[in-house]
Amino acid sequence: MKVIMEDIISLSKRRGFVFQTSEIYGGLAGFYDYGPLGVELVNNLKSAWWDAMVKEKTNIYGIDGAIIQNPLLWKASGHIDGFSDPMVEDVVTHKRYRADHLAGIDSNDLVELERLLKNVKSPDGNKLSQPRYFNMMMQTWIGPVTDDAAKAYLRPETAGAIYTNFLNVKESMRAKLPFGIAQIGKAFRNEISPRDFIFRVRELEQMEMQYFIDPKIEEDVYEEWRQFAWNFLIDKVGIQKDNLSWHEHEENERAHYAKAAHDIYFNFPQGPKELWGTHDRTDFDLSNHTRVSGKDLSYIDEVSKTKFIPYVIESSVGVGRLLLAVLCDSYTKETVNNDERIVLKIKPSLAPYKVAVSPLLKNKPELVELAEKIFKDLKARFGMVMWDDNGNIGKRYRRQDEIGTPFCVTIDFNSLEDDSVTIRDRDTTLQQRINSSKLISYIEEKLAI
Ligand code: GAP
């Protein structure tokens, strides 16, 4: 089924996944807020990544660095001079556009872009300026004086604080190569043309891990982390394999720090686009930080006694972009018993709500009393449990389907007799009766898959 972005945007707003930032003031381009269901999905995705990356591994350590770092960090990393996208300007309206987007190619090469855009007009039908680079660093000032000496930057990627903490983590954790440092956090990019809902935003959140290695094992480790990303998306996020593909960066596409880069593309409604990047950053970062900071960030191998600057293999994915992929991948319109339904077939462990509990009739106190007891027990175990006694059962099921709740439990008159309840499966719509004492273990088992 081809998913349309308008359907995803509409569902996101209607059911509380994603809202426009400052909506009552007309919004702000490139910024979004997560609603009650969105924040649950965000947190579940972050937990799944943190578990797989930090908790299940023995040599990856987590940190949480500051968003604003010493500006010298961004000078050394090359971002102040090189973190740019090619831009063209409509010479009449002065609206700015990504040159590579208008040209329809993945390239930063100004000569090639100029050639391709020679006879192209802006979306408003006007002449375009020559392509030039636009730096995407977001600036601010620290302290009361807004002069150059007080200038600072909101980080454009979370990786920076990982490099500057390489020695701290190595020493405090007595870490030996190979080891990794992982971080989840906000990053900011003054994107020329934020677009496609939360696909390209100016305030984003990243999940990044930098793996520090002896250069000798560069190729094998690069392959391992490419595979990690692919397996994580399929096994831990439940994304359909058919929606994923590999894209290897050509030289003119790669970021200034990367020797090699492989993206996993997801079939977004606007086409296959980057979801997750694996980059070989060689010794680019630690060498430059050694040079600019004057601190020696090299490593001495205990066995061979050789001294070298570790290479870095990076694994990087945007949280919002992953959430968008999950919504698009799981959004399904289907007809069940002549009735059309929208259902989010999200992996149960990631669903914002795990269970909904309903008394068959809300005006029968004995049903409500038993349902409330079951609701409390489930809530104590699963946290995100919804009470829903509004409208008929069919409508309740449709509401839960639309937000991806994997199970609906209904308490009816039989429940009063024999303690059994019906549990209905979101994907198959099948209902079965089970004893209420078995509910928790039944749901636990399904969530563990
Ligand atoms: N540290 C490496 C790095 O930042 P990147 O390819 O620029 O590499 C990594 O970004 C990931 O962050 C991307 O694969 C994407 O998932 C996410 N991302 C990047 N820019 C984004 C934006 N403007 N809006 C949303 N997500 C973005």
Side-chain angles (χ1 to χ4, degrees), residues 332-352:
T332 315
K333 258 187 201 165
E334 61 186 20
T335 305
V336 181
N337 301 332
N338 295 327
D339 197 11
E340 190 173 87
R341 70 167 184 159
I342 293 170
V343 52
L344 281 187
K345 296 189 174 178
I346 296 180
K347 193 174 169 63
S349 57
L350 296 176

Side-chain angles (χ1 to χ4, degrees), residues 174-305:
R174 289 175 292 120
K176 296 195 175 25
L177 293 193
F179 73 89
I181 304 179
Q183 182 174 205
I184 300 178
K186 292 277 177 117
F188 299 81
R189 296 181 179 188
N190 203 0
E191 293 282 354
I192 299 163
S193 44
R195 60 177 182 176
D196 298 318
F197 190 37
I198 54 172
F199 176 81
R200 187 178 306 287
V201 289
R202 288 175 167 144
E203 176 178 333
L204 56 137
E205 189 161 28
Q206 289 185 312
M207 304 194 280
E208 296 201 298
M209 192 281 307
Q210 318 293 316
Y211 203 64
F212 299 94
I213 56 165
D214 183 324
K216 287 198 221 80
I217 58 172
E218 178 190 19
E219 278 170 27
D220 288 348
V221 173
Y222 185 69
E223 288 310 312
E224 274 167 36
W225 285 107
R226 277 180 57 189
Q227 207 51 52
F228 172 90
W230 183 266
N231 293 345
F232 181 88
L233 289 172
I234 291 168
D235 300 338
K236 306 281 174 140
V237 187
I239 290 189
Q240 302 167 69
K241 218 186 202 158
D242 290 352
N243 272 332
L244 301 174
S245 54
W246 282 109
H247 171 78
E248 182 175 3
H249 282 217
E250 302 280 334
E251 201 178 334
N252 59 7
E253 261 181 87
R254 269 179 239 144
H256 60 276
Y257 47 72
K259 171 178 154 192
H262 274 84
D263 290 336
I264 296 178
Y265 272 24
F266 175 80
N267 288 336
F268 287 101
Q270 74 273 26
K273 298 274 173 204
E274 174 183 352
L275 171 60
W276 190 320
T278 304
H279 311 130
D280 181 350
R281 295 179 72 136
T282 65
D283 60 356
F284 175 90
D285 298 276
L286 292 187
S287 291
N288 281 322
H289 291 303
T290 296
R291 181 175 51 77
V292 177
S293 70
K295 268 263 180 206
D296 183 5
L297 302 181
S298 58
Y299 181 87
I300 300 174
D301 184 86
E302 272 179 6
V303 180
S304 66
K305 305 287 178 227

Side-chain angles (χ1 to χ4, degrees), residues 67-87:
I67 284 174
I68 296 180
Q69 300 275 333
N70 188 313
L72 284 174
L73 188 166
W74 306 118
K75 186 73 190 155
S77 69
H79 282 86
I80 290 179
D81 299 319
F83 191 54
S84 308
D85 273 338
M87 180 193 79

